[in-house]
């Protein structure tokens, strides 16, 4: 019994260490993207990232070799979160409503500045440009996996091409809806919902 308890404690300690490492890696990635949003590319130095995340530059290098690795990890975290959220949503709602529900969840102020859909959508292109060719290809693979998950939910009612066109179009529409809601002092959830209703009605009319 004592030996089993000791093994259990070791497993628990290892699990806690892994969670702490995962959280530190995520903090560094988010810090890099926040700096990119606020300071531009030139403001994103390794020292600045480490300082914002509350760690040393040595700690940064324990997790990433260069700042682009932190950017890539941010994309990994986001796509992983989206896939997890997608798995929780009913497939029968269809990909348009599934994407809408994921983005509406991101509007929650508690998710923070970077996780706001408008900021994330705007930053996505900037991050991709800064990645090296290998990381850029890997990032495309992550997005492609997400598109495959969406395609699998269509039950044959949409082609892979339609999903590939629809996904960025919905992200762009969300950005426009959020910008308009801010300019007009309107409810962002209402505007995003209207934008998705537009897509859903037009898509349904063509199928």
């Amino acid at each position: 019994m004592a030996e089993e308890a000791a093994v259990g404690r070791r497993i628990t300690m290892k699990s806690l260490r892994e969670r702490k490492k995962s959280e530190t890696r995520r903090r560094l990635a988010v810090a890099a993207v926040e700096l990119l949003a606020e300071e531009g590319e030139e403001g994103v130095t390794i020292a600045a990232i480490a300082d914002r995340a509350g760690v040393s530059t040595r700690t940064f290098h324990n997790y990433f070799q260069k700042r682009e690795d932190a950017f890539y990890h941010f994309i990994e975290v986001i796509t992983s979160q989206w896939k997890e959220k997608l798995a929780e949503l009913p497939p029968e709602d269809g990909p348009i409503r599934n994407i809408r529900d994921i983005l509406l969840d991101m509007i929650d102020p508690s998710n923070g500045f970077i996780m706001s859909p408008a900021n994330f959508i705007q930053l996505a292109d900037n991050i991709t440009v800064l990645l090296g060719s290998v990381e850029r290809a890997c990032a495309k693979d992550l997005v492609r996996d997400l598109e495959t998950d969406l395609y699998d939910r269509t039950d044959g009612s949409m082609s892979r091409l339609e999903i590939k066109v629809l996904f960025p179009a919905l992200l762009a529409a969300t950005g426009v809806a959020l910008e308009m809601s801010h300019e007009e002092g309107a409810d962002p959830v209402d505007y995003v919902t209207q934008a998705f209703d537009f897509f859903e009605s037009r898509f349904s009319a063509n199928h």
Side-chain angles (χ1 to χ4, degrees), residues 69-136:
D69 295 336
F71 290 142
Y72 175 71
H73 184 64
F74 179 79
I75 296 175
E76 280 187 312
V77 169
I78 297 302
T79 53
S80 176
Q81 288 178 352
W82 281 35
K83 285 170 70 70
E84 288 175 6
K85 290 179 180 178
L86 184 62
E88 296 170 358
L89 297 172
E92 59 269 21
D93 282 357
I96 295 178
R97 290 190 184 183
N98 287 163
I99 295 171
R100 180 201 65 187
D101 290 345
I102 290 172
L103 291 171
L104 288 178
D105 185 58
M106 290 172 68
I107 292 174
D108 184 348
S110 65
N111 283 327
F113 169 77
I114 292 300
M115 288 306 299
S116 160
N119 292 309
F120 173 71
I121 293 163
Q122 181 181 5
L123 285 166
D125 289 337
N126 295 338
I127 294 170
T128 302
V129 169
L130 294 175
L131 294 177
S133 57
V134 174
E135 292 90 352
R136 193 177 302 123

Side-chain angles (χ1 to χ4, degrees), residues 31-88:
V33 177
E34 286 178 341
L35 283 167
L36 178 63
E38 296 171 12
E39 307 290 341
E41 180 185 354
E42 294 177 357
V44 190
T45 64
I46 290 176
I49 295 170
D51 182 64
R52 192 179 188 95
V55 300
S56 66
T57 55
R58 181 177 179 178
T59 297
F60 176 93
H61 286 295
N62 287 339
Y63 292 92
F64 305 115
Q65 289 187 345
K66 55 189 183 299
R67 65 177 191 172
E68 287 76 15
D69 295 336
F71 290 142
Y72 175 71
H73 184 64
F74 179 79
I75 296 175
E76 280 187 312
V77 169
I78 297 302
T79 53
S80 176
Q81 288 178 352
W82 281 35
K83 285 170 70 70
E84 288 175 6
K85 290 179 180 178
L86 184 62
E88 296 170 358

Side-chain angles (χ1 to χ4, degrees), residues 117-159:
N119 292 309
F120 173 71
I121 293 163
Q122 181 181 5
L123 285 166
D125 289 337
N126 295 338
I127 294 170
T128 302
V129 169
L130 294 175
L131 294 177
S133 57
V134 174
E135 292 90 352
R136 193 177 302 123
C138 291
K140 287 182 178 179
D141 286 340
L142 292 174
V143 174
R144 194 176 296 116
D145 286 345
L146 185 57
E147 290 171 347
T148 297
D149 287 353
L150 289 167
Y151 172 74
D152 290 342
R153 288 172 166 254
T154 66
D155 219 8
S157 63
M158 296 177 67
S159 68

